[in-house]
Amino acid sequence: MSAIEKFEEILENRHQYAKDWKQRTGGKVTGWLCTYVPVELLYAAGMLPVRILGTHEVQDVTDRYLFPTVCPFSRDALAQGLKGRYDYLDGLTMSRTCSHVQGTFDNWRNYVPIPFSHYIWLPCHRESPRAVPCLRGELLDLKQAIEKFTGVTVSDEDLDKAIELYNTNRRLMRQVYEFRKSDDLPITGAEAMEMVVASQLMDVVEHNKLLEDLLAELPNRKLDREAGLRLMMIGSEMDDIVFVRMLEELGCTVVIDEHCTGSRYFWDDVIPEEDRLGAIARRYITRWPCPAVSSEFNDRGDRIMQHAKDWDTQGVLLYQQKFCDPHEFDIPSLAQNFKELDIPTLVLEFDVTIPFGQFRTRIEAFLEMAELEVF
Amino acid sequence: MTTEYFRWTEYTWKDPDIDWRKADTLVAGIDVGSVSSQAVVLADDKIYCYCNTRTGSNSPDSAKNALGQALEGTGIKDEDLQFVVGTGYGRVNIPMAKKAITEIACHARGANYMGGPTIRTILDMGGQDLKGIHCDERGKVTQFLMNDKCAAGTGRGMEVMAELLQVPIVDVGQMSLDVPEEPEPVSSTCVIFAKSEAIGLLRSGWTKNMVLAAYCSAMAHRVVGLLERIGIEKEFTITGGISKNVGVTSRILKELGGIEAVPLAPDAQIAGAVGASLFARDLLLKSRR
Amino acid sequence: MITAGVDMGAQSVKVVILGDGKVLARSLVPTGFEPLEAAKTALDEAIKSAGVSRDDVKRVVATGAGRKSATFADSSLTEVTADAKGVNWLQPSVRTIVDIGAEEARGISCDAQGKVLDFAKNDKCAAGSGAFVESMARALEIKVPEMIELSLKSTKDAPINATCAVFAESEVVSLIHSKVEKADIAHAVHDAIASRVASMVRRIPVENDVALIGGVANNAAIVDVMKKHLEVDVVIPENPQFVSALGAALSAAA
Amino acid sequence: MTTNVKYKSKPLDCWQWGKELRLEAYQDLISGHEQGKLLVLGCAATPYGMLAGLGDFVFLAGEPYGASIAADPPFSIPCMEAYEAKGYSRDMCGYMRNFLGSMYLDKYYFTGGSFPKFDFAWSVRHCPAGHPKWHQLVSEYQGIPMNYIDDETMLSNEGDPQHRIDYVAGQYLDTIEWMEKVTGRTYDDEKAIEAMRNYFRNEALWGEICLLNGAVPAPLDIKSLFALMPISMLRRHEKIATQFLETLRDEVKDRIANQIAAVPTERYRMNMLTPPPWSFLKIFRYLENFGVVFVGTYVYLINSGEVKFLIDEGKVIPATVPEERPGWPEMKNREDMCRTIARWRAEHPFQSHLDTRKKEYVILFRHWNGDAYLLLLNRGCVPMTTSMYDFQRDLQSHGIAVAMFEGNFADCRDIDETGVLDRLEAFLEGQGIHELKEA
Ligand SMILES: Nc1ncnc2c1ncn2[C@@H]1O[C@H](COP(=O)(O)OP(=O)(O)O)[C@@H](O)[C@H]1O
Ligand SMILES: Nc1ncnc2c1ncn2[C@@H]1O[C@H](COP(=O)(O)OP(=O)(O)O)[C@@H](O)[C@H]1O
Ligand code: SF4
Ligand code: SF4
Ligand code: SF4
């Protein structure tokens, strides 16, 4: 089985994977809701950090918890909890980012029994020199809370090992992304997405191994179709593989992304320091920012434009979960930036209640529009 | 015998001055929309004939029916058509089409052809969609926006209203302008609820004309909201069936600050099919090269 | 004492005549253009079939969307209160009421005395109402009763995502094109509306017994899927479409 | 024939003075620059007394400005349309949309004329995407510097809060230096401290006044509170505000002693948690026909005022000012001041954690002698609405009646007035409250 097939399989059977892991290792599984949760710290404490994601199905269980204009992702995630699909979790963590997913966390804590939960009060003033020490304090709280819960002390060596493993994971994924710069693409956007989502569900040691396999396969791999337009995907949470497959079937390939189930999650490393928690804190403050945290748009904007150039982007899909105010804010400026470079953009708002056909028409029209010389 | 007020007139048209047999290229564009279907035949770069009819319960039959009616009495047989492009909501289910292109691209191209290369902004108001489109001087789309989730403010809604008030849909626009003063727009443009809202108004003593005016202006307001999001670059034109409803269009233009809309001849409702036929011709010529 | 309750609904007017704790007569007249006329007609019809005279009817209470225009009534009552009163009289064990009418759906939670504890309603959108069912039947080119019958025979799930009735109509059309069985589409339609209604009703506590009322409670296919979505058993009081009118008549007698 | 009027009523004596004070503040925004004052944009949660260290200033909080516009649909609609035309969507903060639209149209709401140009923007990040981003758009559009304080510590009740207080205090200190840099002025610590003392005092006064409204009949109602609140909101750092608020407080006490009611037909008392739907304030008048009086709303009690909740005792009492609290040091220099502000904020009910907040809602309800809460599912503000269903359930579990409606508090196009009234009527009917017949 190829590495990609393996990722796909784990995505399909994510709950089984986590349950097996638990059985196999005797460790605890902790769910996380936002990429600002320091996975290396959870892993150092012997936990399997698992990202909570939805299933993109229409559901009717969250309306009594989340009011109608909470983003569909946050609803979908809570629905999984309410339906008991994550009943194997030992813990749930969340980092302060946006109010929508805050609702998911608060309600989960209140209405779905969970042995351990912890909230990380992420200082969001990234530009302030005071942010790193503050987050360090939060991480210390988290560490102590976990130690109390598991009864195991997290040593410096544990932290070093976890930092190293996750740094490796990030480096390997960046290497895979390097391959996507080529004209002769070896991997589709949907496949790359499967890889990143799997990294958020799997034991990092196992994921690293699969990444090594994938990197060995890539030089000889080819797409079974024309790559078409080179597309960049920018936006909020996105793990809808079915959608990305549909998108790519219409005549394009996603070559680079900027979202929290993609590059934004893994792009930056922890730079080792004597003070381990301080080093982790610095990574999360200075990392590629999510608009729910960043206030200086230009910072995020500049990084995005650089990505777009480096990966030779010909078209951009700017999408957001419906009602996602953090991302909505940046969209007009981003669209303007791309317009200046003559790169066409398409804005899509996601919500499971929008029939696929409507997206399809828009994407097709966009591709028609983006094709350099139409007919 | 019941009258179906929502029915607009279906028709065909043919240019008697053109001899299609002399044409170098003979192609067609077929637009199967959610409410209406059009077929346009292009002889070289001229519209030779077209048909505008109601969409039936399935796309292939609607396409056949539209094309069949357009070709009737012309002597053209299906196999005489050298290239057919399908567009519209049912575009992927048009058996005779060699290629499907979205209605967004087609409306822009068709508007560019009928209204000239100065057109930059197109508003397409169809059966269940609203679209704002920007295009360049060749009719190529540069940006577009579409309504989603809610069909309020679309053609279907107007049909429901016509049926309810028992006013032929083709008269709705004129009648809505014939009011002593502009009433407050209705609060709900929901296609389904328009009915009870209208009943409420009639009950409180409004005339049919006023109800229509209130509905048209609510619809215009929604549309302007969409247009403001995409922005208006001149020249401006309106395509789709609602472009024939002066009650809605005049209010849109007024709300936009009194700008003008470039008229599209022969028919703004066939813009999509015209665009499709132009693409068909391009593709044909390209394949010959 | 003889009293009357008049429910001036969006689609039809329902009247119940109550005499000393017994329902003497019911009538139903389409609301049409002139709700007030329709209501008067319905009231007259009911009085006639009860075999009493207008003067015998001591009090008339109106409810429903058009209640404010009921000049003939002595007073008015909101549907929420009327529903609770009506259901409580018929079936005092009910704690949760789901009322699905032509244009509105409501969830009501009440106590053993029929006092309203909490309620939820849908917003100005046809999703989750009888009108949705009717417009889907039109898209399927069949009548509602036929659609119900088909739905009950369905064996497969099909998805309808759109909440907007108009877009859902086109989803139905594309399901027809992709050769999905009509029975399964019919089922999908009912499933979609039940899911919207359930989602709204869940905003209030759903406790046994749960009663389904309103015109749509006559729709066996909805009843079937509602049970699934609410994960409870559902009771249907007799003449579910008349419960609001009954509640109004009861309040007139009180 | 019975009369529905149960209580005497009369307008407030200090009403006119209040209106003048309010107007002065609004006018200052137009004429401030001419008088050499700094014009600063902030938000309702900015402890703007600190600005006094830079000299005279005029402060505008974005939210009340947005709310004032929202209450005036003919002005508001073009604003929101101008905002939408920039490509931003309707589901963002309703206040912001009105505010930005007014800026884009260059129309100042209160006194007419052009929209003020600020010297800098200084916000508090208490709404994840909202505030700093809002100010960023102003700063880009007007070409002015911006900065912000990240201070939403209420979201956490885990661990020792000390590092969070350090973080907030540090940001205040840094901002002072930043302000000196962007304005070229030197910061006078003493002036700042004095203004902050006024600020704390006035907050406590406003809280005290709101608490007085627990009396039956209520001496004030929500409408008068909304009208008078801007004084506390905009001029909290001024002595004159203290004079006014003390006068108001005394008058309210007097009204209580003499049983003078805001709503003479009072028979059912409701409270809110959030701001009202501004374009639809007639909802309160409508409900007066049922004898319903709105006593107050939690958010403005803790937003323009401060009170102290004694959670364990189930009580709420007026707040003292920080320097008078046991164990709090006197403010002697800017470090002390920043630290005091950070700590005061951390312990302010404004920053109460969700779990505590639920208890406060119940306590306040009892203090205000409420009969029901009216909750707004606000489509115009996500943070204030995220936990609304949770609150509803919690209140109901305490046997408190809750009515709920949905709509946008700052977009008149996004609220179904008839639907809301219908809902409320049904709710009141369930409570046995019917419309009062004319006497
Ligand atoms: N002659 C007419 N006068 C007024 N309105 C019309 C006329 N013809 C069509 N319409 C309106 O246009 C709508 C159909 O628009 P159209 O663009 O043809 O739809 P589609 O999306 O199917 O392409 C109808 O629902 C009706 O409201
Ligand atoms: N026997 C039935 N089977 C299925 N649906 C029914 C039946 N009777 C009524 N309905 C549906 O119930 C709805 C009317 O419900 P009702 O409670 O009377 O509404 P309203 O009070 O708003 O007029 C309509 O949508 C109608 O299609
Ligand atoms: S950032 Fe956006 S997508 Fe993510 S949880 Fe918040 S609202 Fe939803
Ligand atoms: S309001 Fe009407 S038109 Fe809009 S989504 Fe609902 S059903 Fe559709
Ligand atoms: S959305 Fe709410 S919390 Fe955020 S800035 Fe607006 S009013 Fe304040």
Side-chain angles (χ1 to χ4, degrees), chain C residues 7-14 28 31 64-65 79 99-104 106 129-134 144-145 148 190 213-220 222 240-242 244:
Chain C
D7 172 12
M8 300 179 64
Q11 197 181 68
S12 59
V13 177
K14 277 83 49 185
L28 183 148
T31 304
E79 304 94 298
D99 178 344
I100 314 177
E103 292 194 355
E104 204 180 70
R106 288 182 286 277
S129 67
F132 187 87
V133 180
E134 284 164 30
V144 174
I148 298 170
H190 288 117
I213 60 169
V216 179
N218 288 319
N219 180 329
I222 291 281
Q241 200 167 3
F242 292 87
S244 313

Side-chain angles (χ1 to χ4, degrees), chain B residues 252-275:
Chain B
I252 292 174
L253 296 174
K254 194 166 146 221
E255 259 204 68
L256 290 173
I259 67 165
E260 307 223 332
V262 177
L264 300 181
D267 189 339
Q269 201 177 353
I270 65 167
V274 170

Side-chain angles (χ1 to χ4, degrees), chain B residues 149-153 188-193 222, chain C residues 124-127 132 163-167:
Chain B
K149 270 202 106 161
C150 176
S188 156
T189 35
C190 172
V191 175
I192 308 297
F193 288 173
R222 255 192 92 87
Chain C
K124 264 203 165 176
C125 170
F132 187 87
T163 33
C164 173
V166 181
F167 290 144

Side-chain angles (χ1 to χ4, degrees), chain A residues 351 353 362 364 368-369 373, chain B residues 91 102 105 140-141 149:
Chain A
D351 184 342
T353 61
R362 276 175 243 203
E364 283 183 67
E368 286 164 1
M369 170 179 114
E373 200 38 61
Chain B
R91 66 186 174 281
T102 64
K140 183 167 155 5
V141 178
K149 270 202 106 161

Side-chain angles (χ1 to χ4, degrees), chain C residues 83-169:
Chain C
D83 281 357
K85 275 200 163 45
V87 172
N88 184 258
W89 191 73
L90 292 166
Q91 209 128 4
S93 59
V94 169
R95 290 292 166 278
T96 309
I97 303 162
V98 180
D99 178 344
I100 314 177
E103 292 194 355
E104 204 180 70
R106 288 182 286 277
I108 302 162
S109 133
C110 66
D111 66 12
Q113 282 68 49
K115 181 172 150 50
V116 176
L117 300 176
D118 198 5
F119 64 92
K121 291 208 246 185
N122 65 352
D123 262 316
K124 264 203 165 176
C125 170
S129 67
F132 187 87
V133 180
E134 284 164 30
S135 75
M136 292 311 115
R138 255 195 313 278
L140 274 170
E141 298 180 320
I142 52 180
K143 294 260 183 294
V144 174
E146 202 183 326
M147 187 164 82
I148 298 170
E149 224 170 278
L150 274 172
S151 172
L152 294 168
K153 291 193 194 121
S154 155
T155 50
K156 272 208 254 6
D157 283 343
I160 292 182
N161 281 3
T163 33
C164 173
V166 181
F167 290 144
E169 217 175 284

Side-chain angles (χ1 to χ4, degrees), chain D residues 24 26 46 91 170 190 198 205 208 260 266 269 292 338 380:
Chain D
E24 262 171 41
Y26 293 148
T46 310
D91 48 31
E190 258 168 53
N198 291 337
L205 272 168
E208 188 184 343
I260 297 171
E266 168 175 332
R269 296 163 66 98
V292 173
C338 292

Side-chain angles (χ1 to χ4, degrees), chain A residues 314-374:
Chain A
Q314 295 167 324
V316 177
L317 175 60
L318 290 164
Y319 68 89
Q320 57 159 109
Q321 295 286 328
K322 197 162 179 71
F323 308 123
C324 169
D325 35 348
H327 285 85
E328 272 175 338
F329 258 111
D330 284 358
I331 286 178
S333 319
L334 285 171
Q336 185 57 35
N337 287 359
F338 284 109
K339 192 170 181 185
E340 282 160 17
L341 295 180
D342 241 351
I343 298 179
T345 53
L346 172 67
V347 179
L348 286 187
E349 258 187 1
F350 273 83
D351 184 342
V352 280
T353 61
I354 298 175
F356 245 39
Q358 290 200 11
F359 284 139
R360 206 188 147 102
T361 300
R362 276 175 243 203
I363 294 162
E364 283 183 67
F366 169 70
L367 293 174
E368 286 164 1
M369 170 179 114
E371 274 178 43
L372 306 171
E373 200 38 61
V374 203

Side-chain angles (χ1 to χ4, degrees), chain C residues 4-9 11-17 25-31 34-50 54 57 60 72 242 245:
Chain C
V6 183
D7 172 12
M8 300 179 64
Q11 197 181 68
S12 59
V13 177
K14 277 83 49 185
V15 175
V16 166
I17 308 281
R26 294 184 193 86
S27 68
L28 183 148
V29 169
T31 304
E34 300 284 349
L36 187 56
E37 290 315 308
K40 286 181 183 156
T41 315
L43 185 57
D44 290 346
E45 271 181 25
I47 289 174
K48 208 164 118 211
S49 74
R54 180 69 177 83
V57 180
V60 179
F72 56 84
F242 292 87

